[in-house]
Amino acid sequence: LLFFLLLLQCKAFISNRIESLQPSKTKQDFRPFPSKDISGQYCRMHRHSQTTTLLMSSSLVAQQLVRTAFGVALANKISSRGLKRNSLNKNGATAAFWVSSIAASSSVRTAIALIMFYLTGSKLTSVGYSRKKTFEEDYSEEGSRGASQVLACSLIGTSLALLRRVLVGVDGPLAWGESSIACLGNRLTLACVAFFACCAGDTWASELGILSKHPPRLVLAPWKSVPPGTNGAVSWVGLAASAAGGLCMGLTYGLFMISNTALREIAALAWIGTLGGLGGSLLDSILGSTIQATYYDTESNMIVKRSSATTRREGVAFLSNEAVNFVSTAGTAALGALW
């Protein structure tokens, strides 16, 4: 990882060197016989430009090295903490380490958004634990997450941050210009915000919506009440929680920008986050109610993981929960990029 990111900086350095070696065409270049003073002045300016380019490239390489070292240290802390608290199993901790390393090396605020999503999700899991364990079979207060669960809620966002780092450059504020590079950077940033907003919105809705005093209703059949924890079911508490989770991710991206961020950008990212959280959660519910199965045990009155003689099924067993999360987050990210 360190070598790959260093290679990117070396590529930028070589490109700058090639550009600096090409003399600029000024009016003096077209003189048939330039004087010695003008030629000497041009050579001095050219050498000064080369030195400046070298120093700037070296500084960028040093910054990337520091950012990468910080990302690896932060990723080690996150994965070790999750493994120690049993919120991640061994495979999940390994996946979290690599995802966090790449995210922190590519974009600081992407790493902060990832940490914010992880911390808020872990805290909300323990809220109302005594009630939640009566709704779902084998419900855990911490919830040991595997690699598939970690990657479903981080792989696309991390890939977007890395793609922006490679194609556009260091993460920065939204560019309100018309250039193709600025437009590409804006779309990748908005897609990343929409992705994490969808992840947080779905998690917040799942952890808080299940505690609603009123029974949830199927998103495609609102006249039908279903048991709490049913895939594809929504409640007003869950919808509000999904919007709040998306807003949290949008504000995280807007407020934790290293450079000065205008109020216009903070408002835009907060708005995209809110829409991504609410819309992504609804998309996840639609997929969950149609192509994901929910098994309800009529004897224990709980949501179970597999079918038996006493279970009733809602939906079609086509995608797993991780696959539904992956599809819904990918779709939300794509819509965010096209905003």
Side-chain angles (χ1 to χ4, degrees):
L1 175 65
L2 179 64
F3 173 77
F4 173 72
L5 294 172
L6 183 61
L7 188 63
L8 294 178
Q9 290 297 338
C10 292
K11 176 180 177 294
F13 167 69
I14 293 173
S15 300
N16 292 333
R17 287 280 293 175
I18 293 175
E19 292 179 0
S20 65
L21 291 175
Q22 297 177 353
S24 58
K25 294 182 178 181
T26 61
K27 293 182 179 180
Q28 297 168 347
D29 296 331
F30 294 97
R31 294 183 180 182
F33 302 101
S35 64
K36 293 183 178 179
D37 293 338
I38 295 177
S39 299
Q41 182 181 5
Y42 174 78
C43 291
R44 288 192 297 271
M45 292 176 61
H46 186 57
R47 287 194 298 269
H48 177 72
S49 175
Q50 288 181 315
T51 304
T52 303
T53 303
L54 178 62
L55 292 175
M56 291 179 62
S57 299
S58 301
S59 176
L60 289 176
V61 171
Q63 291 178 14
Q64 185 61 63
L65 289 174
V66 172
R67 187 182 295 112
T68 303
F70 167 75
V72 172
L74 181 64
N76 182 65
K77 181 70 175 178
I78 294 175
S79 57
S80 300
R81 181 179 183 274
L83 191 61
K84 184 178 180 180
R85 294 174 59 91
N86 200 33
S87 60
L88 296 171
N89 60 25
K90 189 174 182 179
N91 292 332
T94 302
F97 173 79
W98 285 107
V99 167
S100 302
S101 297
I102 297 175
S105 302
S106 304
S107 169
V108 174
R109 55 179 177 175
T110 299
I112 295 176
L114 193 60
I115 294 173
M116 187 71 70
F117 166 69
Y118 169 71
L119 291 179
T120 56
S122 299
K123 293 295 183 183
L124 291 178
T125 301
S126 60
V127 174
Y129 170 70
S130 58
R131 288 188 60 195
K132 291 177 181 177
K133 67 180 182 180
T134 63
F135 297 143
E136 297 183 18
E137 181 187 33
D138 297 332
Y139 187 87
S140 174
E141 187 172 2
E142 286 291 340
S144 183
R145 296 174 175 85
S148 60
Q149 293 173 300
V150 171
L151 295 178
C153 296
S154 60
L155 180 61
I156 295 177
T158 302
S159 301
L160 291 170
L162 179 60
L163 191 62
R164 190 193 190 285
R165 179 69 184 87
V166 174
L167 299 180
V168 181
V170 179
D171 190 17
L174 294 176
W176 304 97
E178 299 296 334
S179 66
S180 58
I181 293 296
C183 182
L184 177 61
N186 290 347
R187 294 193 183 280
L188 290 174
T189 298
L190 294 178
C192 202
V193 173
F195 170 82
F196 282 108
C198 178
C199 293
D202 179 57
T203 301
W204 286 35
S206 299
E207 299 297 341
L208 297 179
I210 197 173
L211 300 175
S212 175
K213 296 181 179 180
H214 303 285
R217 298 176 180 272
L218 289 177
V219 64
L220 295 180
W223 58 87
K224 184 178 181 180
S225 298
V226 291
T230 301
N231 294 316
V234 297
S235 65
W236 289 112
V237 175
L239 293 176
S242 63
L247 176 62
C248 177
M249 292 297 103
L251 290 176
T252 299
Y253 255 82
L255 296 175
F256 285 94
M257 186 64 232
I258 300 300
S259 60
N260 294 329
T261 306
L263 183 61
R264 177 186 180 185
E265 177 171 352
I266 297 176
L269 295 178
W271 176 243
I272 291 295
T274 303
L275 292 180
L278 181 58
S281 179
L282 287 174
L283 177 59
D284 186 275
S285 298
I286 292 173
L287 295 175
S289 65
T290 54
I291 56 178
Q292 182 183 1
T294 301
Y295 301 103
Y296 180 75
D297 193 308
T298 55
E299 288 187 353
S300 61
N301 295 327
M302 295 178 65
I303 301 295
V304 296
K305 296 183 178 180
R306 56 189 58 86
S307 178
S308 66
T310 60
T311 57
R312 184 179 72 247
R313 189 182 71 181
E314 294 283 351
V316 179
F318 182 70
L319 292 180
S320 64
N321 185 63
E322 290 79 11
V324 168
N325 290 337
F326 185 86
V327 173
S328 62
T329 53
T332 305
L335 293 176
L338 298 176
W339 181 261

